[in-house]
Amino acid sequence: MTTMPGMGEKSLCRGDADCCVLSSRLIPVCAQTGSVQALKADLPVFSDQANLTEQAKKTWLDDNISFLNQSADVFAKNATCYFLTIDFDIASLLARNTQWQQSLQNLPFVSLVLNECFPNLVDGLKNPLLYALRARFPLILGDLGKGDVPFHVVSSGLFSGVILDGAFFQRYYRSPVLQIVLNKAREYSEFVAVGGVDSPAHYHEAKKLRGVSLMGKSLPASPVLGAESVFNNSFLIN
């Protein structure tokens, strides 16, 4: 597993019988040419598959912010964005911590990723927590098409970007329905990507799509030039 330098694998123990390892994955988001446009940090998991505790999530978020502060010049030099996936608990922690908020607001290359399972997404900007997040940070919907929320969430003004769910892409990658959905998403989004480009056939069809970035196992991802010391010149692709 590729971990962020400076973040590495962090032991988080809640007692002798309940100890586990926390690590984060960086997944490249690529242009169709293979150049890396962004790195997406997924939520970590414990090695024993237990749910993350609040303290573990605080540590993970704090480590991400430290990593980003240390690496800001590299992201700027390479015009690379960072997509930080958060859940409801982390969003709530962030909303209560003005220091974390200020740190992230000082990093203009950072966007926050919310998945469709995030509570009350259908409320859009009427939801106080979502409104507060959107007021401070660019938000990206991380799995459009998974089926947990209606499409009007995309058109609500909450999100500046969307990532199409990998399973949705793999189901429709040879269908004209896919480009129709992506075109509709682009009407409301500054950035659109598709996940699940996991085979040569997927990549062959994905290259035909207009105006989207790609994520998956079959991308010819280029290293982030000059960033080898930060990113280890390698990525784990989900």
Side-chain angles (χ1 to χ4, degrees):
M1 175 174 288
T2 298
T3 54
M4 298 183 214
M7 297 181 67
E9 291 192 343
K10 191 173 296 293
S11 178
L12 296 170
C13 298
R14 302 182 299 279
D16 293 340
D18 192 14
C19 186
C20 41
V21 173
L22 172 67
S23 56
S24 290
R25 297 177 298 174
L26 289 178
I27 304 170
V29 181
C30 300
Q32 294 180 352
T33 58
S35 61
V36 176
Q37 298 173 314
L39 299 175
K40 179 175 178 285
D42 272 355
L43 283 170
V45 294
F46 283 136
S47 58
D48 63 2
Q49 300 303 308
N51 292 328
L52 283 168
T53 66
E54 180 173 311
Q55 183 56 48
K57 291 181 179 182
K58 286 180 179 178
T59 301
W60 177 80
L61 181 57
D62 196 49
D63 281 352
N64 263 278
I65 292 173
S66 296
F67 163 74
L68 292 168
N69 282 324
Q70 294 168 13
S71 309
D73 289 345
V74 177
F75 281 97
K77 177 182 178 181
N78 291 279
T80 304
C81 297
Y82 192 83
F83 298 161
L84 182 63
T85 305
I86 64 172
D87 61 8
F88 177 79
D89 292 336
I90 294 174
S92 300
L93 291 170
L94 183 58
R96 298 195 299 266
N97 190 310
T98 55
Q99 183 177 352
W100 283 341
Q101 292 173 28
Q102 188 61 51
S103 294
L104 288 175
Q105 286 179 289
N106 290 336
L107 300 168
F109 55 88
V110 175
S111 296
L112 302 182
V113 178
L114 310 180
N115 289 329
E116 287 194 359
C117 62
F118 195 97
N120 302 315
L121 276 187
V122 292
D123 294 340
L125 295 173
K126 296 178 182 179
N127 180 286
L129 177 59
L130 295 173
Y131 181 87
L133 289 173
R134 183 66 180 89
R136 294 178 176 88
F137 313 108
L139 301 181
I140 293 175
L141 180 60
D143 53 358
L144 173 64
K146 192 168 186 179
D148 293 333
V149 295
F151 187 84
H152 78 74
V153 168
V154 176
S155 61
S156 68
L158 179 62
F159 295 104
S160 58
V162 299
I163 298 172
L164 191 71
D165 182 63
F168 186 95
F169 167 76
Q170 292 177 5
R171 181 177 180 182
Y172 292 106
Y173 75 98
R174 286 195 171 114
S175 169
V177 169
L178 182 61
Q179 188 67 65
I180 293 171
V181 171
L182 293 172
N183 288 346
K184 194 66 175 176
R186 288 178 61 197
E187 292 181 17
Y188 307 101
S189 310
E190 301 171 11
F191 167 85
V192 177
V194 298
V197 185
D198 293 339
S199 73
H202 294 154
Y203 181 58
H204 177 76
E205 296 297 327
K207 289 191 297 182
K208 301 176 185 178
L209 299 172
R210 298 184 298 277
V212 300
S213 301
L214 308 177
M215 299 170 58
K217 297 176 182 176
S218 287
L219 301 180
S222 303
V224 182
L225 298 178
E228 290 84 354
S229 61
V230 175
F231 302 129
N232 284 344
N233 198 20
S234 63
F235 307 95
L236 178 72
I237 303 177
N238 191 16

